[in-house]
């Protein structure tokens, strides 16, 4: 079964704890500290596998963990690093944070490998804390905690052109005619339940990738039928071929069908509906006009060509008119920017703190005329955040606001230009 969505839990490895140890050797009665450092925890890493085209593997196993780092030991022995957890995904997979739905990364284009969660750093052994006044430190640094995250994986196929239209209008037959794809074809609704990709080769004009987006129905943008399962696969396409049954073999009105499908595209994503379209009026070899009845292809042209949408009469069975349609689609693609559709990152796991209810305090040091913010939660935040980067400093500001720290500072009477101290770091307060 084709699987294009999965929801999984991932966890990086915890850093190993530093060791508290002292040399104990014959003739060395008062040996110094020799506690080794803890090993780093393993990371969770995403990699594109060219041999994959579905997310089936992640439907069966839902939890993935990297190894914890080993603790340090005596004689300056460093703990072993934990092994990484590498998740193989097909190209085109978009990774989202499950609760917010925000994009973490798009595994497409040049993004072939992405570190999703970094393992915790190993703690320093007590050998690092020896000083001239403290020659036998009896403490070591614990390893950083693991990070965990629940993610959504969504496979959005990578194609230049998407085929849309109601069920049974001939999209699968068209795809078979123009490309190397071989979807199953039968004369009943929802025959195609998987998106199919094919490569179209045009003599002296190059080629492009085309995707059959399975049959849509009214209400698909609201999840009716299998709407959501289908619509996501059109998000990367740059041109849309709208295939319609011009002969009305099932008693449908081709003009009304096109408006109905375009409404579903608009409701799902207005940006998709604005992409260049061309109409393929299929099944022209089955049109039988009664006396006084107007040609349905002419009706389609009168309705849509003034709106800038070309109409091409074709027969997917015989191949009539398909060559002219494909060359027009290639011209449309050539006029557009060739940059692929890549979803921008909106959620940054590297600035996500481990879940914690650990306390903090906000006080005023009258002797130094400074506001002091301390506590385990603050220490962890500073340890995980690169304040030298713009993104890191923005995260730092949001952390102070979301945790109520700014509100508490203002309650203590802080003014602009006053100094705030956090574990040796000093900042000037400005609104």
């Amino acid at each position: 079964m084709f699987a294009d969505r999965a929801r999984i839990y991932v966890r990086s490895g915890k850093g190993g704890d530093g060791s508290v140890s002292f040399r104990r050797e014959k003739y060395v009665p008062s040996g110094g500290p020799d506690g080794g450092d803890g090993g780093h925890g393993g990371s969770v890493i995403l990699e594109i596998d060219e041999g994959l085209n579905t997310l089936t593997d992640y439907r069966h196993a839902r939890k993935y963990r990297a190894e914890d780092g080993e603790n340090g030991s005596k004689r300056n022995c460093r703990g072993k690093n934990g092994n990484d957890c590498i998740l193989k995904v097909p190209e085109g997979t978009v990774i989202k944070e499950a609760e917010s739905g925000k994009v973490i990364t798009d595994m497409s284009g040049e993004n072939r490998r992405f570190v999703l969660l970094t393992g915790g750093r190993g703690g320093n052994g007590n050998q690092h804390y020896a000083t001239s006044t403290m020659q036998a430190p009896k403490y070591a640094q614990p390893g950083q905690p693991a990070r965990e995250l629940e993610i959504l994986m969504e496979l959005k196929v990578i194609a230049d052109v998407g085929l849309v239209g109601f069920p049974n209008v001939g999209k699968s037959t068209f795809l078979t005619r123009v490309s190397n794809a071989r979807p199953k074809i039968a004369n009943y609704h929802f025959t195609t339940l998987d998106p199919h990709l094919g490569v179209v080769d045009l003599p002296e004009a190059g080629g492009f990738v085309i995707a059959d987006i399975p049959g849509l129905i009214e209400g698909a943008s609201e999840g009716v039928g299998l709407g959501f399962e289908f619509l996501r696969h059109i998000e990367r396409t740059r041109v849309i071929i709208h295939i319609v049954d011009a002969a009305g073999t099932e008693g449908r009105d081709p003009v009304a069908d096109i408006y109905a499908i375009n409404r579903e595209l608009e409701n799902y994503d207005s940006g998709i509906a604005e992409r260049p379209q061309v109409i393929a009026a299929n099944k022209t070899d089955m049109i039988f006009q009664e006396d006084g009845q107007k040609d349905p292809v002419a009706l389609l042209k009168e309705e849509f060509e003034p709106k800038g949408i070309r109409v091409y009469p074709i027969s997917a069975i015989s191949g009539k008119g398909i060559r002219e349609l494909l060359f027009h689609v290639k011209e449309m693609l050539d006029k557009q920017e060739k940059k692929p559709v890549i979803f921008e990152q909106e959620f940054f796991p590297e600035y996500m703190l481990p879940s914690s209810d650990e306390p903090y305090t906000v006080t005023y040091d009258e002797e130094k005329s400074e506001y002091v913010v301390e506590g385990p939660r603050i220490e962890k935040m500073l340890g995980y955040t690169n304040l030298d980067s713009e993104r890191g400093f923005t995260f730092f500001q949001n952390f102070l606001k979301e945790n109520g720290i700014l509100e508490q500072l203002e309650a203590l009477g802080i003014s602009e230009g006053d100094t705030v101290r956090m574990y040796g770091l000093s900042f000037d307060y400005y609104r």
Side-chain angles (χ1 to χ4, degrees), residues 9-23:
Y9 164 88
V10 292
R11 175 189 178 277
S12 64
K14 173 189 176 301
D17 296 336
S19 171
V20 176
S21 175
F22 300 92
R23 289 179 60 195

Side-chain angles (χ1 to χ4, degrees), residues 198-336:
V199 178
V200 177
D201 290 317
L202 297 176
E204 302 178 3
F208 53 86
V209 179
I210 192 167
D212 172 14
I213 310 302
L216 300 177
I217 61 176
E218 291 186 76
S221 59
E222 300 172 1
V224 175
L226 298 175
F228 289 145
E229 304 303 318
F230 296 157
L231 283 165
R232 78 169 60 90
H233 294 292
I234 204 172
E235 292 185 35
R236 296 189 195 272
T237 57
R238 295 187 288 139
V239 169
I240 295 173
I241 299 178
H242 201 138
I243 297 185
V244 66
D245 179 359
T249 57
E250 296 187 346
R252 304 185 63 90
D253 178 358
V255 172
D257 280 0
I258 290 172
Y259 279 122
I261 293 297
N262 280 341
R263 279 196 300 271
E264 296 307 318
L265 297 178
E266 172 73 27
N267 291 339
Y268 181 74
D269 185 336
S270 59
I272 293 175
E274 294 171 0
R275 289 175 194 169
Q277 280 193 32
V278 60
I279 295 172
N282 193 25
K283 303 188 181 183
T284 54
D285 51 348
M286 299 176 68
I287 294 176
F288 298 100
Q289 289 178 249
E290 298 179 0
D291 292 340
Q293 186 180 18
K294 196 164 185 179
D295 178 14
V297 174
L299 288 173
L300 286 166
K301 289 187 175 184
E302 287 177 9
E303 182 70 25
F304 294 104
E305 290 199 341
K307 296 177 170 61
I309 303 175
R310 294 282 297 275
V311 177
Y312 283 83
I314 68 165
S315 170
I317 294 290
S318 68
K320 178 183 176 182
I322 286 180
R323 176 182 171 84
E324 292 80 5
L325 169 65
L326 294 179
F327 273 94
H328 176 66
V329 170
K330 186 64 170 67
E331 289 176 5
M332 295 170 72
L333 289 169
D334 289 343
K335 291 177 182 178
Q336 289 187 285

Side-chain angles (χ1 to χ4, degrees), residues 35-64:
D37 301 342
H40 301 319
S43 299
V44 179
I45 300 171
L46 297 163
E47 285 186 357
I48 289 178
D49 186 333
E50 304 289 351
L52 294 177
N53 56 16
T54 79
L55 296 170
T56 303
D57 292 345
Y58 300 102
R59 289 287 186 91
H60 306 296
R62 299 294 184 97
K63 295 185 177 181
Y64 296 86

